[in-house]
Amino acid sequence: MEVKIHGKNSCLVENGDSTLYRIDKDEFSNGMATVRNNLIRIMEKDLFKAKELRELIVDLKPPIFKHTSTAYNLSGPASQAQINVDQRDAIEKVMCAKDYALVLGMPGTGKTTTIAHIIRALVSQGKSVLLTSYTHTAVDNILLKIEDDAVPILRLGSVGKVHPDIPSFATLSGIPCKTMPELERSWRDSKVVATTCLGINHGIFNHRIFDYCIVDEASQITLPVCLGPIRLAHTFVLVGDHYQLPPLVQNKEAQEGGLDVSLFKLLSDKHPQAVVNLEHQYRMAEDVMLLSNRLIYSGRLKCGTPAVAQRMLEVSNAEAAMEAHHHRTSTITSQHCASADQTCFLRQALTPSRRVFFLNTDTITHPTSSVEVMQGQRITNPTESLLTAQLLTTLIRSGVPARSIGVITFYRSQLALLRHDVKAIAGTIAASEVEMHTADKYQGRDKEVILLSCVRSNESNSPGYAHNANAEGQEMDGNTILKINTQPSNYSQLVKHARLPAYKAPKKLVKGQVKVSSDNASSVLASNPITHDIMNDMDMRMDTSNGKENKYATAAVTKKVKSQDISAFNSDEFFGDEDDEMLIDF
Ligand SMILES: Nc1ncnc2c1ncn2[C@@H]1O[C@H](COP(=O)(O)OP(=O)(O)OP(=O)(O)O)[C@@H](O)[C@H]1O
């Protein structure tokens, strides 16, 4: 037999009796072809589940739930005491589901932990589970949680992509079985089969239908990809959070056609009764959580325990770092830190109780020196980069390990500058240990401290990618470095905020005393959004200090208003001592 290479992706095989075969390499066998195949399969007439899936996904028929679940247990190494009320509801919802159940896990709320419990509950009833996710890492993170449960697991995927600890408790398809009975056992008897959503081309799926399919990271997976695993099981469970990153779809036409709407979002928007929310998180201190809560979750996110809420950064040697910084011969750039007293921005940033610290660089440098620099497509902010490097160095000298600090920015050009400055100021070793990435690359990483360089500072007040961090009063526009102390935190939210399409005008909290003369009080008050609803609270008085009798009215006001409403209001009409000025907060 003779084999000739024919072009880049095919070869010709001649077998002597003049029959010519051409073998083509299908470059897309694991990508587009799988996706196309998923779509074709659910359109087939008699294929398992095709009709039901069309009803549920195309016709959006409401899913059915049993009133109570059949008994199950969560025994094994997992302590039931570690399951909170939402997680228990999620397990119960899945156990009652006939068609599907949706678990919306806000950041750090234990999605992985809950999926592990769901698997335990299902296996305790003798059910089989196909476990999938978008990434190998997510699949393995779940498997590692059931490592000690002695559940027979088959992990499909090439050995190089599987976590090194998995082979110690699961069978790997990438490591061939030595005998046929061994192979058959692993295909037939594994209660849990785990792979990525695109890993469903394996031969086992021609032989097995599963009781349940669980898809983790489901809100990041496009609908056609998601169809692949769910058509292989009687009931499916999607776990995700559509408030975080949606499926990455770059083609405009595909976006317009709705490809960036995941099946998770489609079903949860249509059937909220099928969704269980995981709302107790164990990752972020309360102040850090506030950011996500105000911007995205409408206050629904809660700290799992008081200890989580009160977590603080451990700064063991702050004074030494400050001394080194303010010393005349300091090698740390100190030109941007004018004073060694309490007003020093480094000292403020290092204070453990300030878990979130917004730094307006205009307050420590001249505003013109901290504006952004545009060179073609490249946008950088050199002053902000230097300040970030300076703060980072101070944190390290204060005893915060370099590997527990992360630096995030929205622009690649700024990232390059930050890497350069951090290396120059903090040193090569520290620079190699600090993880620095653009916001989209930081998803799912945990750090004790995050420094965020927002970059944009310009006359037109364009906040660029950071524009949505402005929503609901987060003052992150322009010259702002955000330092978040947490143990640890989730940054995917920041990414999400930066990408939300709609711009909301920033709001500011106004606290103060309003004073108006009685003659025009009602018209002044009624016409301004700050005061229009405090008429009844006005306190009428008489002022005789200038020898005349002048009537006036005062009232305290504390409310959130749009910035333009503040400027529209005549600030002379606010009065009082120094504490009674307009305060801006979030
Ligand atoms: N009921 C609980 N009680 C105490 N701690 C918990 C509980 N559930 C989860 N945790 C802890 O919370 C942390 C986050 O859990 P997990 O990794 O499962 O969350 P996740 O939602 O998958 O995270 P992500 O936001 O990265 O997707 C882990 O340290 C986990 O041990």
Side-chain angles (χ1 to χ4, degrees):
M1 186 181 290
E2 194 189 346
V3 179
K4 289 184 198 151
I5 301 298
H6 180 80
K8 200 171 158 220
N9 285 327
S10 62
C11 60
L12 297 173
V13 182
E14 223 165 338
N15 69 354
D17 63 358
S18 76
T19 315
L20 188 67
Y21 297 91
R22 182 178 141 155
I23 303 172
D24 288 332
K25 184 175 160 198
D26 183 357
E27 290 287 351
F28 290 101
S29 62
N30 230 6
M32 284 307 288
T34 304
V35 173
R36 220 176 288 132
N37 188 38
N38 291 344
L39 288 168
I40 292 167
R41 289 295 181 94
I42 76 149
M43 292 304 164
E44 282 193 34
K45 197 164 163 242
D46 301 320
L47 210 71
F48 170 76
K49 278 301 265 184
K51 181 168 171 284
E52 289 89 336
L53 282 180
R54 285 200 300 274
E55 285 171 358
L56 293 170
I57 293 167
V58 182
D59 304 336
L60 291 169
K61 189 180 124 187
I64 296 171
F65 290 89
K66 291 186 277 180
H67 288 300
T68 47
S69 62
T70 317
Y72 58 88
N73 70 61
L74 303 169
S75 59
S79 149
Q80 297 221 21
Q82 271 211 323
I83 304 173
N84 68 35
V85 59
D86 312 331
Q87 293 168 339
R88 197 167 284 285
D89 286 350
I91 298 166
E92 187 59 22
K93 190 87 181 172
V94 171
M95 302 311 280
C96 291
K98 286 192 162 172
D99 301 311
Y100 63 81
L102 308 168
V103 181
L104 193 157
M106 298 173 192
T109 52
K111 288 188 280 293
T112 315
T113 310
T114 307
I115 294 174
H117 285 311
I118 291 171
I119 295 173
R120 283 183 191 110
L122 292 170
V123 171
S124 80
Q125 289 186 340
K127 307 284 190 214
S128 58
V129 180
L130 169 60
L131 170 67
T132 63
S133 187
Y134 191 50
T135 59
H136 286 280
T137 313
V139 171
D140 289 345
N141 282 344
I142 299 164
L143 291 182
L144 289 167
K145 294 234 183 221
I146 54 168
E147 177 177 356
D148 299 326
D149 285 59
V151 176
I153 299 168
L154 173 62
R155 172 70 165 95
L156 310 176
S158 57
V159 181
K161 292 193 173 154
V162 172
H163 189 284
D165 291 351
I166 302 287
S168 67
F169 62 94
T171 307
L172 239 66
S173 67
I175 301 175
C177 296
K178 292 193 180 69
T179 62
M180 272 312 278
E182 208 181 302
L183 179 69
E184 273 176 14
R185 249 196 329 274
S186 77
W187 280 37
R188 203 187 45 229
D189 298 344
S190 302
K191 277 288 169 209
V192 176
V193 174
T195 187
T196 60
C197 290
L198 289 176
I200 52 151
N201 283 329
H202 195 276
I204 192 172
F205 299 113
N206 298 325
H207 298 268
R208 270 186 85 172
I209 291 295
F210 294 82
D211 294 311
Y212 287 79
C213 169
I214 302 175
V215 185
D216 188 18
E217 300 181 318
S219 46
Q220 287 183 46
I221 303 172
T222 59
L223 190 153
V225 171
C226 201
L227 289 178
I230 65 171
R231 69 181 162 77
L232 300 167
H234 292 278
T235 305
F236 65 88
V237 181
L238 304 183
V239 184
D241 177 5
H242 55 281
Y243 297 109
Q244 298 187 42
L245 288 182
L248 180 65
V249 175
Q250 286 175 321
N251 182 293
K252 208 161 177 295
E253 213 180 323
Q255 273 177 4
E256 281 163 9
L259 191 63
D260 59 349
V261 177
S262 63
L263 180 61
F264 182 91
K265 178 164 167 50
L266 180 80
L267 298 180
S268 51
D269 284 353
K270 183 70 190 171
H271 300 299
Q273 79 283 6
V275 185
V276 179
N277 292 321
L278 302 181
E279 298 180 345
H280 290 85
Q281 62 82 24
Y282 300 89
R283 283 244 160 88
M284 295 170 270
E286 200 164 22
D287 299 348
V288 181
M289 183 183 73
L290 194 67
L291 201 68
S292 298
N293 236 354
R294 288 261 181 106
L295 290 168
I296 300 292
Y297 296 109
S298 316
R300 284 184 300 158
L301 197 53
K302 302 165 197 89
C303 289
T305 63
V308 169
Q310 298 308 320
R311 269 177 194 156
M312 278 187 220
L313 182 68
E314 272 182 38
V315 181
S316 56
N317 213 354
E319 283 316 311
M322 296 309 299
E323 217 169 275
H325 181 84
H326 291 117
H327 195 272
R328 210 182 280 271
T329 59
S330 170
T331 52
I332 313 174
T333 317
S334 54
Q335 77 238 30
H336 292 310
C337 183
S339 70
D341 66 12
Q342 298 302 321
T343 60
C344 165
F345 86 95
L346 295 165
R347 190 180 290 282
Q348 293 178 43
L350 249 54
T351 308
S353 57
R354 294 194 77 164
R355 297 180 184 91
V356 178
F357 177 65
F358 292 89
L359 174 65
N360 180 349
T361 55
D362 284 356
T363 60
I364 45 174
T365 61
H366 192 274
T368 53
S369 69
S370 55
V371 292
E372 70 197 32
V373 177
M374 285 259 206
Q375 284 173 313
Q377 296 285 308
R378 290 169 49 86
I379 303 174
T380 55
N381 190 318
T383 303
E384 210 176 277
S385 173
L386 274 177
L387 287 169
T388 309
Q390 191 180 11
L391 174 54
L392 179 80
T393 311
T394 313
L395 281 164
I396 295 171
R397 288 186 179 217
S398 307
V400 180
R403 65 183 172 285
S404 60
I405 306 174
V407 178
I408 302 180
T409 186
F410 299 117
Y411 297 90
R412 253 184 269 159
S413 36
Q414 180 76 354
L415 182 65
L417 191 61
L418 281 163
R419 287 205 164 120
H420 171 271
D421 288 345
V422 167
K423 210 164 158 185
I425 298 176
T428 317
I429 298 175
S432 67
E433 290 184 356
V434 175
E435 275 196 81
M436 293 183 259
H437 294 294
T438 46
D440 50 338
K441 293 246 173 77
Y442 234 102
Q443 230 208 336
R445 294 284 227 294
D446 293 335
K447 295 285 169 187
E448 304 260 335
V449 185
I450 280 291
L451 306 183
L452 173 65
S453 170
C454 294
V455 179
R456 304 307 297 268
S457 170
N458 45 59
E459 282 202 343
S460 57
N461 285 332
S462 163
Y465 281 131
H467 68 273
N468 271 93
N470 280 334
E472 300 294 327
Q474 311 297 327
E475 286 287 294
M476 285 175 64
D477 54 334
N479 310 330
T480 307
I481 292 175
L482 166 66
K483 185 207 85 170
I484 303 175
N485 296 342
T486 166
Q487 190 201 357
S489 70
N490 182 302
Y491 315 115
S492 48
Q493 288 315 298
L494 288 174
V495 180
K496 171 71 183 173
H497 307 330
R499 294 283 164 88
L500 281 176
Y503 176 75
K504 284 194 202 165
K507 284 189 173 180
K508 294 182 176 181
L509 180 70
V510 173
K511 283 187 188 171
Q513 288 280 329
V514 182
K515 176 185 178 183
V516 281
S517 80
S518 61
D519 293 343
N520 61 354
S522 41
S523 61
V524 168
L525 294 171
S527 64
N528 193 280
I530 300 178
T531 50
H532 71 92
D533 56 352
I534 58 169
M535 305 274 284
N536 295 338
D537 301 329
M538 293 303 280
D539 183 8
M540 298 301 295
R541 294 198 190 167
M542 202 71 89
D543 181 1
T544 51
S545 54
N546 61 0
K548 295 181 190 160
E549 285 192 350
N550 295 319
K551 276 192 209 156
Y552 68 93
T554 61
V557 59
T558 302
K559 67 196 300 190
K560 272 185 149 189
V561 291
K562 290 186 193 145
S563 307
Q564 62 264 38
D565 294 335
I566 295 175
S567 43
F569 196 72
N570 180 354
S571 57
D572 289 340
E573 283 151 346
F574 273 80
F575 87 113
D577 56 33
E578 283 189 355
D579 289 333
D580 287 329
E581 67 202 12
M582 284 179 8
L583 296 177
I584 294 165
D585 201 349
F586 81 87

